[in-house]
Amino acid sequence: MTYSIFNMVDFMGCYAFDMYSFRRAEQMGLTQDGIYYMPTHKEQNKDTVNYDDLLAQDFPAVERIINPLGSYTVFQDSAVNVTICELATRQFLRCEDEGRWLPDEDIQNPDGSENVVVSGYLFQDVHVGDKIELEVRNLRDRPVKSITAVVIGKDTEPSYSLGLGSGVTSGNEGISWFDLFDSGSHNGIYLSEGAFQRMYDFTEISKVSHRMPNSLIIFADGSGSQERQQVMEYARQNGHYITFEDITSYSKAAAKRILLSDLPFPLFLLCISTFSMLAVATFLTEVQLKEYKIYYLCGCSRISSFFNSLILVGGQSYKLGSRSLTRADLGLLRQMRNELLAQENTGDGGLLPGTVAAFFEGR
């Protein structure tokens, strides 16, 4: 039973995360027209170059390109991923469940603190409105200063950020929203680009931040098919791409595959264990029927006889009206049973000594 429950819980967790990824993609508007662009990396550390080259194309069909800057900071001696939200990203990447999202205006608080949105289990005891201390480190991973941040929003569990690292060289087959969110960070902090610059005012931002390998390209609503084809041709020449529609189809297929392949086994185990428990309970009840009959012959009512049998099995106590039966009465019950069996086995009339059976025939 325990093993079957563990398998069922594992299945429910996988299926719930698939559904969570799809809902989060819908929340971000990723189910509209667009493509997931995976450029070919011929050199190391070329993510920023690929992104800048994509921006330089200035395609009329493109409404926005999403590729947030990333970095890290330290919270309570634990490294936490930082998503640097530029204006286009702040207007797109909304993930707060409590509080509010980062405002469009990049303004520092009067007391010098910065506004942040947090996510992940490290912040489970942090509430909206709390102030937290973030440790800023240099390129040698040495502490430089501490920054006070005000939590204005929180992404409650489950909380996975969007990761744009899946499918870099494998083409577009089988990529789902589950893959994109699964490759993201779990514990994270979202802050504006200006707030990050103020945190790292002692060095260049490019030295302490990085672009993700791939990008999300969102088409404008009024763009034509030929204009969109130009974007897809550019993506094809410089790497791979997959449309949002195809990602959604793969996501639904993956969820269906989990239902068909992973659900039957734990469900089978659960049914077998449940049937086994019922069979054992039926067998034990059958074994106790003899005890039940003996107590009934002793003058106990049907209900009392039943509870007496339960006492022998579980050692519990029961109270029926003004009469109570406890484990201390087991000796008396067994003595009554043994006396009745002894009388039955003697030749003096069995259960009713001194009495004989008479048969009368009519004439």
Side-chain angles (χ1 to χ4, degrees), residues 97-116:
D97 296 321
E98 300 176 2
R100 58 190 176 91
W101 182 240
L102 298 172
D104 292 342
E105 300 81 10
D106 187 6
I107 302 176
Q108 189 178 32
N109 295 322
D111 59 357
S113 61
E114 303 291 349
N115 294 323
V116 298

Side-chain angles (χ1 to χ4, degrees), residues 89-148:
T89 304
R90 291 201 301 274
Q91 295 174 344
F92 164 77
L93 191 63
R94 299 186 62 94
C95 62
E96 80 285 2
D97 296 321
E98 300 176 2
R100 58 190 176 91
W101 182 240
L102 298 172
D104 292 342
E105 300 81 10
D106 187 6
I107 302 176
Q108 189 178 32
N109 295 322
D111 59 357
S113 61
E114 303 291 349
N115 294 323
V116 298
V117 175
V118 300
S119 66
Y121 62 86
L122 280 179
F123 302 96
Q124 61 183 354
D125 296 327
V126 176
H127 302 90
V128 175
D130 290 350
K131 290 186 177 182
I132 59 177
E133 295 296 323
L134 303 177
E135 188 179 88
V136 180
R137 299 190 177 188
N138 58 20
L139 297 178
R140 297 183 179 180
D141 200 29
R142 295 178 180 175
V144 175
K145 60 180 178 178
S146 180
I147 295 295
T148 301

